[in-house]
Amino acid sequence: MWRDTKLVWLAFISVVFAFAIFVSWYYLLLLPCLPVSFVYFAFIRYDEDGNEKGDFT
């Protein structure tokens, strides 16, 4: 999943650090949430072999 969404996750991390620098350091508390959502969507979108699952519709 990392190869498909690398830029999106890097953007999330960049935005969190930008908010932490320019607004408040409390935004750094969001960083532990990112790996949880990454793993959650990885299990939904990919199978055991790392191949993308088909649509469910």
Side-chain angles (χ1 to χ4, degrees):
M1 181 169 161
W2 178 251
R3 67 176 185 255
D4 295 338
T5 59
K6 179 174 32 177
L7 294 177
V8 174
W9 291 105
L10 291 175
F12 282 147
I13 292 170
S14 299
V15 167
V16 167
F17 277 114
F19 280 153
I21 291 169
F22 295 114
V23 179
S24 175
W25 64 272
Y26 287 115
Y27 284 99
L28 292 176
L29 296 174
L30 293 173
L31 289 178
C33 299
L34 290 177
V36 173
S37 61
F38 181 82
V39 170
Y40 175 74
F41 286 114
F43 280 119
I44 289 176
R45 188 165 179 173
Y46 294 90
D47 63 7
E48 299 84 23
D49 299 323
N51 299 321
E52 191 171 357
K53 293 180 183 176
D55 284 338
F56 295 108
T57 58

